[in-house]
Amino acid sequence: GWLNSFLNQGGNLYMEGMRTWHEDEPTILHPRFNLETVIPGNYFEIDRIEGIEGQITSDISVDYSGSMPFNNHYLQATDSSFAILESGLDTACTVASSISNYKTIGSSLLFGSMMNADSVPMKSSYAMSILSFFGIEIQYVDTPENDVHEEPNMIEVYPWFD
């Protein structure tokens, strides 16, 4: 398929979802992520996600609240891959792999299900970690939000033309 060709040409790929690593029929892409699915024999709840010390995600610590927080498998790194996120059970839920000409990240988590009071900064940090791992440099500009003024009818508009 075209994603396999994309990796062959030096592309990077992030793939997430519980079903893709366990229930769905594997595609020719799955082995390229260098991870295995481990089935412990019972269901467990993923309610907290932690980054792994020394990895690109070491500053991540976030609650997880997906529509299906219960899982019956976890991921295990193989070959040259390594875990970058784990659940509170010390089981990998996201694995990164760096091969000579491409990089992959496979996750059983859903990015949108990471949530708590600090979820926006945590999601941003996680997204930046992924981009950094893939060697994608971005520059973002902070723009100030609308400030609350003591005089509510006072509005500033720029640029001002006479």
Side-chain angles (χ1 to χ4, degrees):
W2 64 272
L3 286 176
N4 201 35
S5 295
F6 175 70
L7 287 178
N8 286 335
Q9 295 170 19
N12 302 310
L13 190 58
Y14 173 89
M15 196 159 70
E16 71 176 29
M18 283 194 286
R19 290 188 178 140
T20 193
W21 302 112
H22 176 59
E23 296 171 11
D24 292 346
E25 189 68 30
T27 68
I28 79 170
L29 281 175
H30 283 75
R32 305 206 55 189
F33 283 79
N34 292 316
L35 60 84
E36 293 178 346
T37 301
V38 177
I39 303 166
N42 57 350
Y43 279 83
F44 54 92
E45 183 176 11
I46 298 176
D47 58 356
R48 185 108 186 123
I49 304 303
E50 301 287 339
I52 297 177
E53 192 65 39
Q55 299 297 343
I56 58 173
T57 54
S58 62
D59 64 335
I60 305 294
S61 180
V62 65
D63 292 336
Y64 187 77
S65 179
S67 60
M68 299 205 30
F70 293 95
N71 203 347
N72 65 346
H73 68 279
Y74 58 90
L75 304 179
Q76 183 173 352
T78 63
D79 299 325
S80 62
S81 63
F82 50 94
I84 60 171
L85 289 177
E86 61 187 12
S87 72
L89 303 171
D90 295 327
T91 55
C93 43
T94 304
V95 172
S97 181
S98 181
I99 304 300
S100 62
N101 65 329
Y102 69 89
K103 294 180 180 180
T104 59
I105 296 177
S107 181
S108 60
L109 305 172
L110 298 176
F111 183 86
S113 295
M114 294 180 176
M115 44 193 0
N116 64 8
D118 297 325
S119 65
V120 173
M122 285 294 154
K123 285 181 182 181
S124 177
S125 179
Y126 180 47
M128 293 300 288
S129 296
I130 292 169
L131 293 173
S132 174
F133 177 71
F134 287 156
I136 300 170
E137 293 183 29
I138 68 163
Q139 212 172 22
Y140 59 93
V141 178
D142 185 22
T143 56
E145 297 292 327
N146 294 334
D147 293 332
V148 176
H149 299 284
E150 289 185 30
E151 298 177 39
N153 294 328
M154 184 165 216
I155 299 174
E156 298 174 17
V157 180
Y158 299 96
W160 181 260
F161 299 101
D162 285 330

